[in-house]
Amino acid sequence: MPTSDLACVELRSYFVRHRNCLLVRGHFTDLYMDYYLHLMQHGIQHLEQLDTMLKEALAAMALHMGSRPHDERCAWTINVHDPLLNLFVTGGGYPKGQVTGRIFTDDVKDMGKSLIIAQTSRPNMQPRQSMIEFTGSDVLSAVEQFYTQSEQRPTRFFRMPDEDFVQISAEPDADLEWLKGLSEADIPKLDEAEQLSLLETRGYTFDCGCTVDRMFPMLSRLPKDDLDYIFEDGHADITCPRCGAKYKAPRELFEQWFAAQQKA
C-alpha cells in the first residue's frame, strides 16, 4: 500500500500540571485497519489472543515514541514464556512516524521466563540496549514493568473503549501516589479533574517501508550454494523480519542489484 494512502493516528501529549506527569493518548482504529489490510495482503493469520497482543504492543510502541525525542528509533523484542512467542515491534521517524511489528511462534527459544529486549538509537550517539524480566502475559503490564526497571520511570497504560490507549508517565517530582492510584474510570474525567497542557501532536502510521530490493542485503550474505537452492524455481520467497511481508524476488532482479552493489 502506498505510504500516502496510510491512515495516520494522531497522538497528543500533555503535561499534567501539579502532578508532574506526561500523558500521551491516541485512537488507534484507523491504524489497526491498515494493520489488517497488511495481514490480508500477505496472507498472514493470527490467533485472536496473539493478534490482540501484537496490536497492544503496537499501541504501546507508538505511545512510547510519542513521548521520546523526534530522532529516536526504538525496537522491542517481547519474549513471552506462556504462550511461547516473540512479539517484535519497532517505531521511529519524524515528522511522520511509523510503527510496525510481527509475531514469531516458530523456533522461539524458551528462556524459562518472559523478557523484553529493547534497542534504542539516535543519530551520532551510541545505541543502547537493555533487557528486563517481566511477569504475566499482559503486554501493557509488561511495558509498565519495562519502564519501572529499565527507564526507572513509573508509567501506567490504560486500554479504553473503541481502541483508545493512554500512557501516563512520571516526570521529576511526580505525584507518584496519584499516578499509582489512577483507575480506568478516572481517565475519561482527567480533562475535568486535572489541568492538562497540550505539549505536542504527532502522527504515526502502520508502515514498515520494506520493499523487495531492501530484502536483498540479507540474501547477499549467503553462500552461492544456498543462493542456488533458494532461487531453484527462478525466484526467492523472502519474508520481512520486521513486519512479516512476503515477497517473491526474481533471481534476475537480485543479480542486477548485486552487480550494481559491486560497482558502487
Side-chain angles (χ1 to χ4, degrees):
M1 180 185 295
T3 300
S4 59
D5 294 336
L6 295 171
C8 187
V9 58
E10 184 179 83
L11 299 185
R12 291 177 171 247
S13 59
Y14 301 83
F15 182 68
V16 187
R17 292 185 178 274
H18 312 299
R19 306 296 188 183
N20 289 346
C21 289
L22 179 67
L23 182 152
V24 187
R25 61 189 179 193
H27 178 67
F28 284 82
T29 297
D30 290 341
L31 183 145
Y32 287 158
M33 183 63 69
D34 286 335
Y35 159 74
Y36 281 121
L37 290 173
H38 168 81
L39 297 186
M40 291 174 58
Q41 178 183 355
H42 296 284
I44 303 170
Q45 293 183 322
H46 299 143
L47 296 175
E48 182 177 358
Q49 177 191 6
L50 307 192
D51 181 66
T52 298
M53 293 173 74
L54 179 55
K55 288 166 61 180
E56 293 192 348
L58 289 167
M61 173 57 74
L63 294 170
H64 171 72
M65 296 307 304
S67 67
R68 303 298 298 170
H70 291 162
D71 58 356
E72 186 170 287
R73 300 195 64 86
C74 187
W76 296 336
T77 299
I78 306 175
N79 175 250
V80 184
H81 175 60
D82 184 20
L84 185 60
L85 59 90
N86 280 342
L87 299 171
F88 174 81
V89 287
T90 183
Y94 185 80
K96 191 171 184 180
Q98 304 91 31
V99 292
T100 193
R102 62 173 296 189
I103 299 171
F104 294 88
T105 55
D106 296 331
D107 301 319
V108 176
K109 187 174 181 180
D110 188 349
M111 305 296 292
K113 53 190 175 183
S114 296
L115 302 169
I116 292 182
I117 303 168
Q119 297 173 314
T120 303
S121 62
R122 294 182 69 185
N124 304 316
M125 298 180 67
Q126 286 292 328
R128 294 186 292 112
Q129 179 168 306
S130 62
M131 180 172 65
I132 65 103
E133 182 179 346
F134 67 91
T135 58
S137 60
D138 182 278
V139 171
L140 299 187
S141 173
V143 179
E144 288 179 346
Q145 293 173 65
F146 165 74
Y147 262 88
T148 299
Q149 297 181 51
S150 181
E151 301 290 311
Q152 297 182 345
R153 184 182 174 199
T155 293
R156 301 286 306 282
F157 283 88
F158 298 90
R159 50 175 75 81
M160 307 304 293
D162 302 320
E163 296 175 330
D164 284 346
F165 290 85
V166 175
Q167 173 184 342
I168 307 179
S169 300
E171 295 292 309
D173 299 319
D175 186 340
L176 297 180
E177 287 301 316
W178 173 81
L179 179 59
K180 182 179 178 181
L182 282 174
S183 69
E184 188 175 300
D186 295 322
I187 302 304
K189 299 179 291 186
L190 277 184
D191 297 76
E192 302 172 5
E194 304 295 337
Q195 187 177 349
L196 306 183
S197 299
L198 180 64
L199 298 176
E200 188 180 14
T201 300
R202 300 190 196 179
Y204 284 83
T205 60
F206 178 85
D207 183 26
C208 178
C210 64
T211 58
V212 64
D213 56 308
R214 290 185 180 181
M215 303 293 105
F216 288 161
M218 293 190 300
L219 295 181
S220 67
R221 295 189 286 268
L222 297 176
K224 184 179 183 305
D225 289 346
D226 290 345
L227 287 173
D228 290 339
Y229 176 77
I230 291 172
F231 283 107
E232 186 176 11
D233 297 328
H235 67 268
D237 294 316
I238 310 175
T239 300
C240 175
R242 290 160 45 95
C243 72
K246 299 174 183 178
Y247 296 98
K248 287 187 177 296
R251 181 158 196 164
E252 181 181 0
L253 186 63
F254 169 74
E255 290 178 345
Q256 290 173 357
W257 173 88
F258 188 76
Q261 300 304 305
Q262 298 297 104
K263 294 177 182 178

